[in-house]
Amino acid sequence: MSAKELVEKGEVRVIAPLVNIHEKEKEITVEAEMPGLAKENLSIQIEGEVLTFSGRQKEGVPEGYHALYRERFPSEYRRSFVLSSEIDREGIRALYENGVLNLTLPKVEKARPKIIKIN
Amino acid sequence: MNRLFDFSLSRWPEKDTGLLEGAWSPAIDIYDNRDNILVKADIPGLSKNEIEVSVHNDTLVIRGEKKREEKIKEDEFVRTERFYGSFHRAVTLPSAVDADQVKAVYNNGVLELTLPKREEVKPKQIRVDVK
């Protein structure tokens, strides 16, 4: 079904946002492109081992205007990842900036690389 | 490397989006009313001064460049799906606009342009007197 047909039926399409994932010594960062969300419409959940972030872009036709051409339809962004036990779940931080959700997932102490000195 | 993200539950972006081929242009909406044309474009992850908007008669051009963060080392990338590089999108507007009065707002990754129509292209109400 095309996006237009979904909108006509009053449904939203679900989009998997594009992500970049970086692994650093102490943390993993995830950047996800989710343009056009209000902060209240964003949610980040951990259920068991699965981290899910989602957000609803509810954009309708602006008041006083009529649509001539649309490629941006109301959408739900949603994507899930499986977390390993090396992630400190309590320490996860999130920042939404310029339409990009930035998640920082710190590693638990024992999962960080250790450098062993040679005497 | 640690398999911290064992697998992703969601699908890989479709091939036909063109995102993986490096050709990318922002998705846009065009709206219209009596006085203005409103254009919205999804351009996530840029800052205000990285987007350039130009108007020539009835042609609108949005261009910019998404730069990679330089402080990230190559071996830290686990997954890269986001597009980087320069992009541009040219659109023919339904009527001529006043290029000097264009308002641009960039908020939450969405560029919103309000382009006032030129006085001469606005619809005019003609009164017909019937005797």
mmCIF file of all heavy atoms in Angstrom, chain B residues 92-123:
data_model
loop_
_atom_site.group_PDB
_atom_site.id
_atom_site.type_symbol
_atom_site.label_atom_id
_atom_site.label_comp_id
_atom_site.label_asym_id
_atom_site.label_seq_id
_atom_site.Cartn_x
_atom_site.Cartn_y
_atom_site.Cartn_z
ATOM 1 N N THR B 92 9.901 23.389 -8.744
ATOM 2 C CA THR B 92 9.205 24.479 -9.427
ATOM 3 C C THR B 92 7.966 24.816 -8.612
ATOM 4 O O THR B 92 7.127 23.957 -8.351
ATOM 5 C CB THR B 92 8.808 24.052 -10.851
ATOM 6 O OG1 THR B 92 9.994 23.637 -11.524
ATOM 7 C CG2 THR B 92 8.188 25.203 -11.609
ATOM 8 N N LEU B 93 7.885 26.060 -8.205
ATOM 9 C CA LEU B 93 6.759 26.488 -7.376
ATOM 10 C C LEU B 93 5.558 26.805 -8.258
ATOM 11 O O LEU B 93 5.720 27.163 -9.428
ATOM 12 C CB LEU B 93 7.172 27.724 -6.571
ATOM 13 C CG LEU B 93 8.334 27.506 -5.600
ATOM 14 C CD1 LEU B 93 8.830 28.833 -5.064
ATOM 15 C CD2 LEU B 93 7.915 26.599 -4.455
ATOM 16 N N PRO B 94 4.360 26.681 -7.700
ATOM 17 C CA PRO B 94 3.169 26.913 -8.527
ATOM 18 C C PRO B 94 3.000 28.369 -8.974
ATOM 19 O O PRO B 94 2.235 28.634 -9.894
ATOM 20 C CB PRO B 94 2.021 26.467 -7.623
ATOM 21 C CG PRO B 94 2.581 26.437 -6.256
ATOM 22 C CD PRO B 94 4.029 26.168 -6.376
ATOM 23 N N SER B 95 3.687 29.303 -8.322
ATOM 24 C CA SER B 95 3.620 30.682 -8.814
ATOM 25 C C SER B 95 4.882 31.422 -8.405
ATOM 26 O O SER B 95 5.650 30.952 -7.568
ATOM 27 C CB SER B 95 2.377 31.391 -8.277
ATOM 28 O OG SER B 95 2.446 31.472 -6.878
ATOM 29 N N ALA B 96 5.089 32.583 -9.009
ATOM 30 C CA ALA B 96 6.274 33.379 -8.691
ATOM 31 C C ALA B 96 6.168 33.913 -7.266
ATOM 32 O O ALA B 96 5.078 34.251 -6.798
ATOM 33 C CB ALA B 96 6.403 34.520 -9.679
ATOM 34 N N VAL B 97 7.295 33.945 -6.570
ATOM 35 C CA VAL B 97 7.285 34.419 -5.186
ATOM 36 C C VAL B 97 8.268 35.574 -5.022
ATOM 37 O O VAL B 97 9.144 35.788 -5.853
ATOM 38 C CB VAL B 97 7.642 33.279 -4.193
ATOM 39 C CG1 VAL B 97 6.586 32.204 -4.211
ATOM 40 C CG2 VAL B 97 9.017 32.702 -4.471
ATOM 41 N N ASP B 98 8.076 36.276 -3.921
ATOM 42 C CA ASP B 98 8.930 37.413 -3.617
ATOM 43 C C ASP B 98 10.159 36.897 -2.855
ATOM 44 O O ASP B 98 10.101 36.613 -1.665
ATOM 45 C CB ASP B 98 8.117 38.385 -2.755
ATOM 46 C CG ASP B 98 8.837 39.704 -2.572
ATOM 47 O OD1 ASP B 98 10.042 39.758 -2.902
ATOM 48 O OD2 ASP B 98 8.203 40.650 -2.095
ATOM 49 N N ALA B 99 11.252 36.762 -3.574
ATOM 50 C CA ALA B 99 12.438 36.117 -3.008
ATOM 51 C C ALA B 99 13.000 36.857 -1.791
ATOM 52 O O ALA B 99 13.615 36.246 -0.919
ATOM 53 C CB ALA B 99 13.514 35.996 -4.082
ATOM 54 N N ASP B 100 12.763 38.151 -1.707
ATOM 55 C CA ASP B 100 13.318 38.920 -0.587
ATOM 56 C C ASP B 100 12.549 38.717 0.711
ATOM 57 O O ASP B 100 13.044 39.053 1.781
ATOM 58 C CB ASP B 100 13.291 40.419 -0.917
ATOM 59 C CG ASP B 100 14.156 40.719 -2.127
ATOM 60 O OD1 ASP B 100 15.155 39.993 -2.319
ATOM 61 O OD2 ASP B 100 13.807 41.645 -2.887
ATOM 62 N N GLN B 101 11.335 38.202 0.594
ATOM 63 C CA GLN B 101 10.491 38.090 1.787
ATOM 64 C C GLN B 101 10.353 36.650 2.290
ATOM 65 O O GLN B 101 9.481 36.377 3.098
ATOM 66 C CB GLN B 101 9.084 38.637 1.483
ATOM 67 C CG GLN B 101 9.048 40.072 0.994
ATOM 68 C CD GLN B 101 9.493 41.051 2.068
ATOM 69 O OE1 GLN B 101 9.168 40.858 3.244
ATOM 70 N NE2 GLN B 101 10.245 42.053 1.680
ATOM 71 N N VAL B 102 11.205 35.757 1.799
ATOM 72 C CA VAL B 102 11.078 34.350 2.188
ATOM 73 C C VAL B 102 11.521 34.173 3.636
ATOM 74 O O VAL B 102 12.566 34.671 4.047
ATOM 75 C CB VAL B 102 11.928 33.457 1.258
ATOM 76 C CG1 VAL B 102 11.912 32.014 1.735
ATOM 77 C CG2 VAL B 102 11.416 33.538 -0.172
ATOM 78 N N LYS B 103 10.679 33.475 4.382
ATOM 79 C CA LYS B 103 11.030 33.188 5.783
ATOM 80 C C LYS B 103 11.417 31.722 5.913
ATOM 81 O O LYS B 103 10.723 30.848 5.392
ATOM 82 C CB LYS B 103 9.844 33.483 6.698
ATOM 83 C CG LYS B 103 9.896 34.892 7.264
ATOM 84 C CD LYS B 103 8.789 35.072 8.281
ATOM 85 C CE LYS B 103 7.802 36.093 7.770
ATOM 86 N NZ LYS B 103 6.422 35.886 8.028
ATOM 87 N N ALA B 104 12.505 31.466 6.608
ATOM 88 C CA ALA B 104 12.965 30.085 6.766
ATOM 89 C C ALA B 104 13.146 29.771 8.243
ATOM 90 O O ALA B 104 13.732 30.553 8.986
ATOM 91 C CB ALA B 104 14.278 29.881 6.027
ATOM 92 N N VAL B 105 12.603 28.651 8.663
ATOM 93 C CA VAL B 105 12.740 28.195 10.045
ATOM 94 C C VAL B 105 13.229 26.752 9.996
ATOM 95 O O VAL B 105 12.714 25.947 9.209
ATOM 96 C CB VAL B 105 11.389 28.262 10.799
ATOM 97 C CG1 VAL B 105 11.540 27.772 12.228
ATOM 98 C CG2 VAL B 105 10.816 29.663 10.777
ATOM 99 N N TYR B 106 14.214 26.422 10.807
ATOM 100 C CA TYR B 106 14.683 25.037 10.881
ATOM 101 C C TYR B 106 14.483 24.555 12.308
ATOM 102 O O TYR B 106 15.047 25.105 13.248
ATOM 103 C CB TYR B 106 16.155 24.961 10.486
ATOM 104 C CG TYR B 106 16.736 23.566 10.511
ATOM 105 C CD1 TYR B 106 16.290 22.593 9.616
ATOM 106 C CD2 TYR B 106 17.730 23.210 11.421
ATOM 107 C CE1 TYR B 106 16.824 21.324 9.629
ATOM 108 C CE2 TYR B 106 18.273 21.940 11.434
ATOM 109 C CZ TYR B 106 17.815 20.995 10.538
ATOM 110 O OH TYR B 106 18.342 19.730 10.547
ATOM 111 N N ASN B 107 13.616 23.564 12.449
ATOM 112 C CA ASN B 107 13.248 23.125 13.787
ATOM 113 C C ASN B 107 13.060 21.608 13.799
ATOM 114 O O ASN B 107 12.358 21.067 12.945
ATOM 115 C CB ASN B 107 11.939 23.826 14.184
ATOM 116 C CG ASN B 107 11.700 23.761 15.667
ATOM 117 O OD1 ASN B 107 12.589 23.402 16.448
ATOM 118 N ND2 ASN B 107 10.486 24.078 16.071
ATOM 119 N N ASN B 108 13.670 20.937 14.754
ATOM 120 C CA ASN B 108 13.557 19.470 14.876
ATOM 121 C C ASN B 108 13.842 18.729 13.562
ATOM 122 O O ASN B 108 13.205 17.732 13.247
ATOM 123 C CB ASN B 108 12.164 19.065 15.378
ATOM 124 C CG ASN B 108 11.965 19.439 16.835
ATOM 125 O OD1 ASN B 108 12.934 19.613 17.581
ATOM 126 N ND2 ASN B 108 10.728 19.566 17.248
ATOM 127 N N GLY B 109 14.786 19.248 12.808
ATOM 128 C CA GLY B 109 15.164 18.570 11.570
ATOM 129 C C GLY B 109 14.251 18.848 10.392
ATOM 130 O O GLY B 109 14.399 18.220 9.351
ATOM 131 N N VAL B 110 13.307 19.768 10.575
ATOM 132 C CA VAL B 110 12.405 20.102 9.483
ATOM 133 C C VAL B 110 12.620 21.557 9.074
ATOM 134 O O VAL B 110 12.573 22.455 9.905
ATOM 135 C CB VAL B 110 10.919 19.884 9.875
ATOM 136 C CG1 VAL B 110 9.992 20.230 8.718
ATOM 137 C CG2 VAL B 110 10.687 18.451 10.329
ATOM 138 N N LEU B 111 12.886 21.758 7.792
ATOM 139 C CA LEU B 111 13.031 23.111 7.262
ATOM 140 C C LEU B 111 11.663 23.571 6.782
ATOM 141 O O LEU B 111 10.983 22.864 6.035
ATOM 142 C CB LEU B 111 14.023 23.112 6.096
ATOM 143 C CG LEU B 111 14.228 24.437 5.364
ATOM 144 C CD1 LEU B 111 14.972 25.431 6.241
ATOM 145 C CD2 LEU B 111 14.981 24.221 4.057
ATOM 146 N N GLU B 112 11.255 24.762 7.236
ATOM 147 C CA GLU B 112 9.946 25.278 6.864
ATOM 148 C C GLU B 112 10.135 26.626 6.195
ATOM 149 O O GLU B 112 10.664 27.555 6.795
ATOM 150 C CB GLU B 112 9.102 25.423 8.140
ATOM 151 C CG GLU B 112 7.639 25.511 7.865
ATOM 152 C CD GLU B 112 6.827 25.547 9.143
ATOM 153 O OE1 GLU B 112 7.011 24.661 10.010
ATOM 154 O OE2 GLU B 112 6.014 26.470 9.267
ATOM 155 N N LEU B 113 9.720 26.718 4.942
ATOM 156 C CA LEU B 113 9.897 27.953 4.180
ATOM 157 C C LEU B 113 8.541 28.564 3.865
ATOM 158 O O LEU B 113 7.665 27.884 3.340
ATOM 159 C CB LEU B 113 10.608 27.673 2.853
ATOM 160 C CG LEU B 113 11.986 27.022 2.924
ATOM 161 C CD1 LEU B 113 12.419 26.586 1.539
ATOM 162 C CD2 LEU B 113 12.991 28.010 3.493
ATOM 163 N N THR B 114 8.373 29.829 4.213
ATOM 164 C CA THR B 114 7.154 30.540 3.856
ATOM 165 C C THR B 114 7.521 31.522 2.751
ATOM 166 O O THR B 114 8.353 32.405 2.950
ATOM 167 C CB THR B 114 6.580 31.277 5.075
ATOM 168 O OG1 THR B 114 6.477 30.346 6.159
ATOM 169 C CG2 THR B 114 5.207 31.845 4.789
ATOM 170 N N LEU B 115 6.943 31.304 1.588
ATOM 171 C CA LEU B 115 7.303 32.103 0.408
ATOM 172 C C LEU B 115 6.104 32.934 -0.025
ATOM 173 O O LEU B 115 5.121 32.384 -0.546
ATOM 174 C CB LEU B 115 7.731 31.165 -0.734
ATOM 175 C CG LEU B 115 8.797 30.114 -0.380
ATOM 176 C CD1 LEU B 115 8.277 28.719 -0.603
ATOM 177 C CD2 LEU B 115 10.063 30.328 -1.166
ATOM 178 N N PRO B 116 6.147 34.240 0.218
ATOM 179 C CA PRO B 116 5.000 35.066 -0.161
ATOM 180 C C PRO B 116 4.885 35.191 -1.678
ATOM 181 O O PRO B 116 5.879 35.384 -2.372
ATOM 182 C CB PRO B 116 5.293 36.430 0.476
ATOM 183 C CG PRO B 116 6.561 36.286 1.218
ATOM 184 C CD PRO B 116 7.233 35.026 0.830
ATOM 185 N N LYS B 117 3.672 35.067 -2.158
ATOM 186 C CA LYS B 117 3.446 35.192 -3.600
ATOM 187 C C LYS B 117 3.597 36.645 -4.012
ATOM 188 O O LYS B 117 3.287 37.545 -3.236
ATOM 189 C CB LYS B 117 2.031 34.719 -3.936
ATOM 190 C CG LYS B 117 1.837 33.251 -3.767
ATOM 191 C CD LYS B 117 0.421 32.875 -4.157
ATOM 192 C CE LYS B 117 0.177 31.409 -3.877
ATOM 193 N NZ LYS B 117 -1.215 31.028 -4.118
ATOM 194 N N ARG B 118 4.018 36.836 -5.216
ATOM 195 C CA ARG B 118 4.108 38.200 -5.732
ATOM 196 C C ARG B 118 2.709 38.765 -5.919
ATOM 197 O O ARG B 118 1.777 38.046 -6.283
ATOM 198 C CB ARG B 118 4.847 38.206 -7.069
ATOM 199 C CG ARG B 118 6.335 38.230 -6.849
ATOM 200 C CD ARG B 118 7.034 38.704 -8.098
ATOM 201 N NE ARG B 118 8.358 38.114 -8.125
ATOM 202 C CZ ARG B 118 8.976 37.689 -9.213
ATOM 203 N NH1 ARG B 118 8.380 37.795 -10.376
ATOM 204 N NH2 ARG B 118 10.167 37.171 -9.154
ATOM 205 N N GLU B 119 2.608 40.040 -5.653
ATOM 206 C CA GLU B 119 1.320 40.724 -5.692
ATOM 207 C C GLU B 119 0.564 40.436 -6.998
ATOM 208 O O GLU B 119 -0.624 40.148 -6.987
ATOM 209 C CB GLU B 119 1.556 42.231 -5.520
ATOM 210 C CG GLU B 119 0.468 42.975 -4.800
ATOM 211 C CD GLU B 119 0.035 42.334 -3.482
ATOM 212 O OE1 GLU B 119 0.892 42.113 -2.587
ATOM 213 O OE2 GLU B 119 -1.161 42.058 -3.359
ATOM 214 N N GLU B 120 1.294 40.454 -8.128
ATOM 215 C CA GLU B 120 0.603 40.332 -9.416
ATOM 216 C C GLU B 120 0.047 38.940 -9.683
ATOM 217 O O GLU B 120 -0.800 38.773 -10.552
ATOM 218 C CB GLU B 120 1.526 40.778 -10.571
ATOM 219 C CG GLU B 120 2.735 39.883 -10.820
ATOM 220 C CD GLU B 120 4.012 40.376 -10.165
ATOM 221 O OE1 GLU B 120 3.914 41.125 -9.171
ATOM 222 O OE2 GLU B 120 5.092 40.018 -10.651
ATOM 223 N N VAL B 121 0.513 37.923 -8.934
ATOM 224 C CA VAL B 121 -0.025 36.588 -9.196
ATOM 225 C C VAL B 121 -1.139 36.188 -8.230
ATOM 226 O O VAL B 121 -1.745 35.139 -8.372
ATOM 227 C CB VAL B 121 1.080 35.495 -9.174
ATOM 228 C CG1 VAL B 121 2.098 35.762 -10.262
ATOM 229 C CG2 VAL B 121 1.727 35.380 -7.815
ATOM 230 N N LYS B 122 -1.375 37.065 -7.235
ATOM 231 C CA LYS B 122 -2.444 36.738 -6.287
ATOM 232 C C LYS B 122 -3.797 36.819 -6.972
ATOM 233 O O LYS B 122 -4.022 37.694 -7.804
ATOM 234 C CB LYS B 122 -2.415 37.729 -5.119
ATOM 235 C CG LYS B 122 -1.279 37.465 -4.148
ATOM 236 C CD LYS B 122 -1.389 38.376 -2.965
ATOM 237 C CE LYS B 122 -0.139 38.277 -2.116
ATOM 238 N NZ LYS B 122 -0.123 39.295 -1.077
ATOM 239 N N PRO B 123 -4.692 35.918 -6.603
ATOM 240 C CA PRO B 123 -6.011 35.977 -7.238
ATOM 241 C C PRO B 123 -6.729 37.269 -6.858
ATOM 242 O O PRO B 123 -6.614 37.735 -5.720
ATOM 243 C CB PRO B 123 -6.734 34.751 -6.669
ATOM 244 C CG PRO B 123 -5.986 34.394 -5.438
ATOM 245 C CD PRO B 123 -4.586 34.839 -5.632
#
